[in-house]
Amino acid sequence: MLNEEVAVTTQLENVVELRGGHAPLALAPRDISAAAWGRYEAQIGEIFQAFGLPLDTPGTRSTPERFLRALYDSTAGYDGDPKLLTAFPTEAGDGHAAAFGQIIEGPIAFTALCEHHALPFHGHVHIGYVAGERIIGISKLTRLVRLFARRFTVQERLGEQIADTLVELIEPQGVAVRIEASHLCTQMRGVEEHSRTTTTFWRGAFEDSELRREFLDETHRRTVR
Ligand SMILES: [Zn+2]
């Protein structure tokens, strides 16, 4: 038991080192009191009723409570991800074999809430990187995407955060992130109903146009249509 505790401590120290003084993965669990929850439910209920939803049926009586819970769960990225925090130093493997080519992972599905309308935007992320000393598994990349997607955000910041955090965590030679998403805030209201927004983010070695083309060709091929 004592040995296990020592091992955990060592891992966390490694993480702090990897993080290089910033805290992109910091755990900061939200703390909302029962009184506050009750107040929020009343407020949301008032809005729902004013907008046309009756709250006196068996199906809708708990809707304000369920809505808030769903909203809270959808923004769990603000709480951090303890598994992500401990996984990087232990699971990051030796990247020498892969150092000369790019590794492409995806599509990784995500749903986020746009910070302008608090409505979902959803789609896929592709991540490419040219490894330095370390590589990382796709399950951890999925966690990384979720950590930043489950917040109120915009597509641009989501891509920047994924790219910059990956740079900090595994110090690759370069990172590419491509996000393709549909935004419900435009679709639900009848404007740009079928539009999808694609953004790409480049770091380090991806200044090279050949690497970019390879990444774009491959991710385009993989994109779920
Ligand atoms: Zn929006």
Side-chain angles (χ1 to χ4, degrees), residues 114 116-117 185:
C114 102
H116 301 131
H117 302 91
C185 55

Side-chain angles (χ1 to χ4, degrees), residues 3-195:
N3 284 343
E4 276 177 34
E5 282 169 13
V6 170
V8 168
T9 307
T10 306
Q11 286 171 14
L12 287 174
E13 280 168 359
N14 287 343
V15 169
V16 172
E17 221 171 279
L18 283 171
R19 275 156 44 182
H22 304 288
L25 307 179
L27 298 178
R30 295 166 292 177
D31 185 18
I32 297 169
S33 70
W37 274 107
R39 211 165 57 240
Y40 301 160
E41 277 174 34
Q43 290 163 343
I44 290 290
E46 187 182 344
I47 294 168
F48 282 168
Q49 287 188 89
F51 284 8
L53 177 70
L55 293 183
D56 55 357
T57 75
T60 60
R61 204 158 285 140
S62 301
T63 295
E65 182 189 343
R66 283 189 296 254
F67 171 80
L68 283 172
R69 177 53 62 180
L71 189 61
Y72 187 75
D73 292 344
S74 304
T75 51
Y78 291 116
D79 295 326
D81 182 344
K83 285 194 179 159
L84 189 55
L85 198 64
T86 54
F88 270 99
T90 54
E91 296 193 15
D94 187 331
H96 283 131
F100 298 108
Q102 66 171 303
I103 298 164
I104 299 174
E105 302 280 19
I108 299 168
F110 77 93
T111 300
L113 290 169
C114 102
E115 69 179 11
H116 301 131
H117 302 91
L119 288 171
F121 64 97
H122 61 98
H124 297 91
V125 180
H126 284 89
I127 299 173
Y129 64 94
V130 180
E133 296 288 312
R134 291 186 286 269
I135 58 173
I136 195 75
I138 189 164
S139 68
K140 298 306 166 294
L141 291 176
T142 302
R143 283 186 174 279
L144 187 61
V145 169
R146 285 196 189 139
L147 179 72
F148 294 116
R150 290 189 179 167
R151 300 181 184 206
F152 298 101
T153 187
V154 291
Q155 195 165 328
E156 289 73 15
R157 187 187 310 128
L158 180 58
E160 302 277 354
Q161 286 175 321
I162 293 168
D164 289 340
T165 306
L166 197 57
V167 166
E168 193 166 335
L169 285 169
I170 63 172
E171 296 172 350
Q173 297 177 54
V175 171
V177 175
R178 177 173 178 265
I179 304 180
E180 187 172 345
S182 300
H183 294 249
L184 291 197
C185 55
T186 53
Q187 293 182 335
M188 287 169 67
R189 297 183 299 163
V191 270
E192 302 177 48
E193 277 193 36
H194 301 291
S195 79

